Amino acid sequence: MTPALALGDDALVLSHRLGEWAGNAPVLEEEVALANIALDLLGQARILLSLAGDEDELAYLREERQFRNLQLVEQPNGDFAHTIARQLYFSVYQQLLFDHLATGGTELAPLAAKAVKETSYHRDHAEQWTLRLGDGTDESHTRMQRGLDALWRFTGELFEPVDGLDAPWAALHDEWTTRITALLERATLTLPQGPQRGAWTAGGGRQGLHTEPFGRMLAEMQHLHRSHPGASW
Amino acid sequence: MTTIAPEEPALEAVFDATVAADERIEPRDWMPDAYRSTLVRQIAQHAHSEIIGMQPEANWITRAPSLRRKAILMAKVQDEAGHGLYLYSAAETLGTSRDELLDKLHTGRQKYSSIFNYPTLTWADVGAIGWLVDGAAITNQVPLCRCSYGPYARAMVRICKEESFHQRQGYELLMALSRGTEAQHAMAQDAVNRWWWPSLMMFGPPDDESAHSAQSMAWKIKRHSNDELRQRFVDICVPQAEALGLTLPDPDLTWNEERGHFDFGPIDWAEFWDVLKGNGPCNEQRISRRRRAHEDGAWVREAAAAHAAKHGKADR
């Protein structure tokens, strides 16, 4: 596995999940924002997968056990708060990682330098909504806390070392925790208390061990491409 | 009201002169009530069409067969949401609100384009929508860039730029299918067969049955009649279909040397009125999904409002 494949799969899969929101968002501005983020991520995925091979072959012709994305990004959208919790955990992580990679000398540096601008917008979007929902109404507060709690167990994997990717994982985890803690406090929310990892979570996605909803997602994503072997589109 | 009544003839004269001189009416200008309500109806229907129109295409985002096509489709659906936003803003300059207009959409008191009540059954439908549906929309909308109401005309300038981009992408998608495998070619032909007639219906009823046409043309909201625009569209599409290597599903389609236009077969107006009345293949599905998105999002909008009330605008 190359690091480009792991990071490319993260972007590809999260982009797909966000694409499922099209036409379903709570306000028109969010139709635009969620599609915008999905497009940025798809753009990142295309560059990263192209570093690892042929983007369409990698996206459409691999099976579930060959995908290297984090389990976090494959989680179904749930309600808007659940989606925002997923965005918050991922975008803070991605910005920290890309910030680090942008200054490194690897083949990922140029992509990271470009993507980090997009990622800081994604993070801002997730943070603003975490504040609004956390410190909005009782209902939104409850839903936001529920989303954060439900996804917490997938966050340990974010800082499992990725083969071939030199990053200060422990320090990134500390920084991530500091930022998330501070934000949740402002949003009147509580940092989830449960474990951040479990037998099938930490490192599972990177090894091709995924959660059940992922196979169904791939079936939908790949079916047309696979129905016409060798065709170009 | 009685105090301003004596001035009304003078105001109306200014309005008429502005329209006659091909100048723009702006939000603070006096305008006849009927001009205002016609524009609200038309702009709202246009905005609603952008929003409902996201659904048939979004139906294929998760199944797009290549990452390039997926990116193009996502960008297009995003543009449509943006067009909806421009158009609701243009309507709001006439003294209504987006909430009020959405409520009218959700309760069926305002319409959207009947074309979006047809289903997208295959990937090729995404191309057919781009080529034919966006093509028809552009033919309709380019003259609106010169519409007498300034905010609407300016919104249309921005929208038409993006629409023509989408239209070319749809055409290019069909081209790839038409020149692809046999199965892909057949998929493209089938989509064109299903979308051709509904696209011609997008220009509205024939001129002699069009309720608002005469007044809208006098006010320069509309610049050409439904039948004129429909003819223009057919004339554009025939050579494009030929270049695509696809046929149009009309045995009566022939070049008329005398008129300098293509003659085409009769449109099934019974189907048109039926779809308009709510009995098309997807009317129920489209409006239910829109209502559900709105209802499911209510708590999010309430949260944003409550947060803004607590923290002021700076935090929004």
Side-chain angles (χ1 to χ4, degrees):
Chain A
M1 176 187 68
T2 70
L5 193 63
L7 303 187
D9 283 351
D10 286 348
L12 176 71
V13 171
L14 186 55
S15 164
H16 186 96
R17 284 298 188 205
L18 291 175
E20 294 172 353
W21 270 103
N24 294 308
V27 283
L28 285 177
E29 285 81 356
E30 284 307 298
E31 294 286 0
V32 177
L34 295 173
N36 205 322
I37 296 168
L39 264 174
D40 286 345
L41 290 166
L42 185 54
Q44 294 172 14
R46 296 183 64 192
I47 295 171
L48 286 161
L49 293 181
S50 297
L51 289 173
D54 177 88
E55 60 174 39
D56 285 338
E57 250 178 68
L58 288 169
Y60 291 101
L61 298 175
R62 275 181 302 159
E63 297 190 356
E64 189 179 346
R65 293 280 283 114
Q66 297 168 298
F67 273 82
R68 300 297 177 212
N69 55 282
L70 297 162
Q71 290 183 356
L72 175 69
V73 296
E74 75 202 29
Q75 296 311 307
N77 289 332
D79 66 6
F80 188 72
H82 197 87
T83 289
I84 292 299
R86 193 183 59 200
Q87 288 304 113
L88 178 72
Y89 289 155
F90 182 77
S91 61
V92 173
Y93 151 81
Q94 202 193 27
Q95 195 188 8
L96 290 170
L97 182 62
F98 282 2
D99 259 338
H100 170 79
L101 294 176
T103 55
T106 70
E107 61 167 1
L108 299 181
L111 171 275
K114 173 183 177 284
V116 81
K117 292 178 200 139
E118 299 166 348
T119 303
S120 77
Y121 159 75
H122 305 168
R123 180 191 47 74
D124 186 54
H125 176 263
E127 287 183 353
Q128 293 302 319
W129 273 112
T130 303
L131 290 170
R132 283 189 203 109
L133 299 180
D135 193 12
T137 63
D138 288 345
E139 181 181 9
S140 69
H141 178 91
T142 306
R143 286 178 183 254
M144 191 63 218
Q145 187 67 55
R146 200 186 294 153
L148 291 163
D149 290 346
L151 293 168
W152 182 251
R153 59 193 289 261
F154 300 105
T155 58
E157 189 178 16
L158 306 181
F159 304 97
E160 287 290 313
V162 174
D163 283 349
L165 195 60
D166 183 31
W169 298 104
L172 291 179
H173 186 199
D174 289 348
E175 181 61 27
W176 182 89
T177 308
T178 305
R179 289 196 190 188
I180 298 283
T181 306
L183 180 77
L184 295 191
E185 196 176 331
R186 278 181 64 204
T188 73
L189 295 159
T190 318
L191 191 76
Q193 292 305 304
Q196 281 179 282
R197 58 192 62 233
W200 290 83
T201 57
R206 296 285 187 230
Q207 293 152 28
L209 287 172
H210 293 279
T211 57
E212 284 183 348
F214 185 56
R216 198 163 279 107
M217 191 205 100
L218 281 190
E220 182 172 343
M221 184 174 104
Q222 296 181 336
H223 102 271
L224 178 59
H225 186 98
R226 284 179 181 271
S227 302
H228 296 263
S232 47
W233 298 94
Chain B
M1 285 295 133
T2 47
T3 52
I4 63 158
E7 289 176 30
E8 205 155 286
L11 292 168
E12 188 152 9
V14 172
F15 172 86
D16 290 342
T18 308
V19 170
D22 260 339
E23 283 165 16
R24 296 283 159 80
I25 304 297
E26 296 298 336
R28 287 160 180 267
D29 294 344
W30 183 91
M31 61 187 87
D33 288 344
Y35 177 83
R36 187 184 299 274
S37 60
T38 291
L39 275 169
V40 169
R41 193 193 68 246
Q42 183 175 337
I43 300 173
Q45 174 166 333
H46 194 162
H48 299 333
S49 302
E50 297 283 357
I51 301 312
I52 296 286
M54 293 167 71
Q55 290 184 36
E57 296 178 281
N59 185 36
W60 281 92
I61 286 179
T62 54
R63 294 176 288 170
S66 75
L67 297 187
R68 174 170 168 265
R69 293 291 177 198
K70 187 173 184 167
I72 290 171
L73 185 56
M74 271 185 184
K76 182 180 179 187
V77 174
Q78 183 192 16
D79 281 349
E80 281 158 5
H83 295 173
L85 283 169
Y86 300 157
L87 288 162
Y88 286 122
S89 299
E92 284 181 331
T93 64
L94 292 160
T96 181
S97 71
R98 197 208 301 182
D99 286 348
E100 196 181 330
L101 297 176
L102 280 174
D103 189 55
K104 287 183 176 159
L105 169 65
H106 297 152
T107 53
R109 283 176 294 157
Q110 282 178 344
K111 296 192 184 311
Y112 54 88
S113 176
S114 62
I115 193 80
F116 301 118
N117 292 314
Y118 290 87
T120 47
L121 301 179
T122 73
W123 170 250
D125 290 35
V126 172
I129 288 181
W131 176 41
L132 296 174
V133 175
D134 294 344
I138 292 163
T139 309
N140 261 329
Q141 291 170 10
V142 165
L144 287 173
C145 298
R146 294 185 296 125
C147 155
S148 59
Y149 188 59
Y152 191 27
R154 288 188 289 275
M156 291 320 304
V157 171
R158 300 177 64 174
I159 290 172
C160 283
K161 280 183 197 161
E162 295 180 345
E163 289 290 1
S164 19
F165 195 57
H166 300 161
Q167 202 248 353
R168 270 177 286 161
Q169 287 170 328
Y171 185 85
E172 194 254 337
L173 189 164
L174 282 182
M175 182 73 86
L177 294 181
S178 178
R179 295 183 178 173
T181 66
E182 218 172 290
Q184 285 176 307
H185 182 91
M187 193 192 275
Q189 184 61 60
D190 169 63
V192 169
N193 292 349
R194 284 181 288 108
W195 289 91
W196 173 247
W197 291 108
S199 301
L200 292 192
M201 295 177 195
M202 284 175 72
F203 296 93
D207 292 348
D208 48 11
E209 286 174 51
S210 180
H212 308 288
S213 273
Q215 183 59 75
S216 288
M217 286 178 75
W219 277 329
K220 295 189 181 169
I221 295 173
K222 241 179 126 154
R223 297 283 180 155
H224 310 280
S225 80
N226 295 352
D227 287 332
E228 251 173 84
L229 291 169
R230 185 164 18 240
Q231 180 70 60
R232 185 180 296 178
F233 179 68
V234 171
D235 291 346
I236 291 169
C237 285
V238 174
Q240 289 181 343
E242 207 166 304
L244 278 172
L246 298 170
T247 59
L248 295 170
D250 179 358
D252 296 336
L253 199 59
T254 45
W255 176 251
N256 183 326
E257 190 65 53
E258 209 171 300
R259 293 201 307 127
H261 290 292
F262 284 95
D263 290 335
F264 54 97
I267 289 171
D268 182 352
W269 291 113
E271 175 178 319
F272 173 78
W273 292 113
D274 215 28
V275 174
L276 213 63
K277 269 185 244 150
N279 302 319
C282 296
N283 297 59
E284 180 54 38
Q285 175 189 329
R286 299 284 186 246
I287 206 71
S288 306
R289 170 142 174 220
R290 179 85 269 289
R291 272 198 218 117
R292 194 168 62 244
H294 192 73
E295 283 159 16
D296 288 354
W299 68 271
V300 177
R301 297 189 298 277
E302 282 158 20
H307 183 84
K310 283 186 223 177
H311 298 276
K313 287 191 170 174
D315 226 32
R316 280 165 88 176

